[in-house]
Amino acid sequence: MSLAKYQELLAPIYQFLQCETPDEWITEAKKAENLPVLLLDHLICELKAGQTAMWLIRKYAADKKSGEALLEWFQPYEKFVYKKEGSLESLAEHYKLSKEIVPKSDSNFGQDLIDKMVLLIKEELHHFYQVLEIMVARGIDYENITASRYAKGMMTHVRTHESAILVDKLICGAYIEARSCERFAKLAPHLDDELCKFYISLLRSEARHYEDYLALAEQVAGEDISGRVKFFGEIEAELISSPDDDFKFHSGKPKERS
């Protein structure tokens, strides 16, 4: 990707996010001893991103049989993460969705949500496999780690009535994808050539994911959502820029160690 294309791709991301990743996080992230946890958390984040998209399809867009097909698609990845069952080789057989996802007959936005979220899921699961490939090649074993405060910190502010809950979840999804894109770009120059090229290769899809989430939020709301976007942007920026005891891919500013 040329420098001009790189800057063109990232410009809307920086306009959307209300703060940039703190330099202190980059300093911590580029330490060799933190690479295993960074890759582990990235791996899990890819699965969670796919699970969120699957949940949205199953709850709001797809018929029952399609929902069951989605659960079946995810099962090998979830067994790997939660039960440590399977391997890189066995996961290679489960990349493609074998059945068509059919929208509910009464959904006004179902097909659009399905089209955008199925593409997102395919890419997230492919990224999951790529991260795992890198881990295996580098002798980094999979292990369970705790989740960061980031996603939960935004989701606690989601409204609880329909269709507001869907609009808010879609806006949160847009911020998570935009922040991932921004961090890939910030971190890539500080990593070895393989990881640098890998993270740069993810930018285009992550940038589109944020746009898809935002477009769906606007479509579902059917009205101006700029107030909610600003609201969640402030929460997201606070989570990213405030001191954080934890270090993960979406953690805040690392606290100074005494």
Side-chain angles (χ1 to χ4, degrees):
M1 189 185 300
S2 68
L3 180 59
K5 283 287 184 185
Y6 184 82
Q7 292 172 337
E8 180 185 339
L9 185 69
L10 291 172
I13 298 288
Y14 287 120
Q15 289 176 357
F16 180 64
L17 297 172
Q18 295 191 22
C19 75
E20 292 187 26
T21 289
D23 291 339
E24 293 90 339
W25 186 88
I26 298 296
T27 299
E28 196 70 17
K30 66 185 183 181
K31 292 178 180 176
E33 64 267 27
N34 285 328
L35 183 61
V37 73
L38 204 63
L39 289 173
L40 272 168
D41 195 47
H42 181 182
L43 182 79
I44 295 168
C45 284
E46 295 290 358
L47 177 65
K48 287 181 177 178
Q51 287 174 318
T52 297
M54 176 181 68
W55 181 86
L56 291 170
I57 295 173
R58 293 184 70 234
K59 182 169 179 62
Y60 294 105
D63 64 14
K64 186 177 179 182
K65 285 187 177 179
S66 296
E68 291 170 355
L70 286 169
L71 288 174
E72 185 180 343
W73 189 19
F74 269 80
Q75 194 175 54
Y77 298 90
E78 292 177 331
K79 281 186 175 181
F80 183 88
V81 168
Y82 302 126
K83 297 183 179 181
K84 296 185 178 180
E85 294 180 10
S87 64
L88 185 68
E89 291 74 19
S90 64
L91 288 176
E93 303 170 7
H94 298 284
Y95 170 60
K96 293 184 179 179
L97 177 63
S98 58
K99 298 176 184 176
E100 183 183 0
I101 305 300
V102 179
K104 295 175 182 177
S105 58
D106 60 347
S107 176
N108 294 326
F109 53 84
Q111 191 62 60
D112 204 22
L113 190 147
I114 287 169
D115 290 344
K116 286 182 169 65
M117 292 297 101
V118 167
L119 177 58
L120 183 147
I121 291 169
K122 286 179 179 177
E123 291 177 336
E124 303 292 15
L125 293 182
H126 180 55
H127 297 163
F128 178 100
Y129 185 85
Q130 288 178 299
V131 176
L132 185 58
E133 232 179 356
I134 291 169
M135 288 172 57
V136 169
R138 295 176 182 231
I140 299 171
D141 293 330
Y142 175 77
E143 59 183 73
N144 296 321
I145 56 174
T146 57
S148 70
R149 67 183 188 179
Y150 179 72
K152 186 178 180 181
M154 282 193 288
M155 292 298 176
T156 54
H157 298 276
V158 168
R159 292 169 291 181
T160 56
H161 59 281
E162 298 294 359
S163 61
I165 185 172
L166 175 55
V167 172
D168 285 358
K169 281 182 176 286
L170 289 167
I171 292 171
C172 288
Y175 274 108
I176 292 169
E177 296 293 338
R179 180 60 64 186
S180 297
C181 188
E182 187 255 4
R183 289 218 155 160
F184 290 146
K186 287 268 190 179
L187 186 55
H190 302 284
L191 301 173
D192 60 64
D193 286 348
E194 180 192 28
L195 287 174
C196 177
K197 289 176 183 176
F198 173 57
Y199 280 144
I200 292 297
S201 75
L202 300 181
L203 295 182
R204 196 175 300 281
S205 59
E206 297 297 324
R208 192 188 64 256
H209 294 169
Y210 120 78
E211 291 171 342
D212 285 348
Y213 267 119
L214 205 55
L216 284 168
E218 291 169 345
Q219 181 181 349
V220 171
E223 60 185 20
D224 179 37
I225 60 170
S226 58
R228 292 305 287 176
V229 171
K230 183 175 183 293
F231 171 75
F232 279 107
E234 291 169 352
I235 293 167
E236 198 271 348
E238 173 65 19
L239 290 164
I240 288 298
S241 59
S242 60
D244 197 339
D245 289 322
D246 200 9
F247 175 74
K248 296 285 169 50
F249 200 89
H250 290 97
S251 57
K253 187 185 294 186
K255 283 187 177 178
E256 292 185 12
R257 296 173 184 172
S258 55

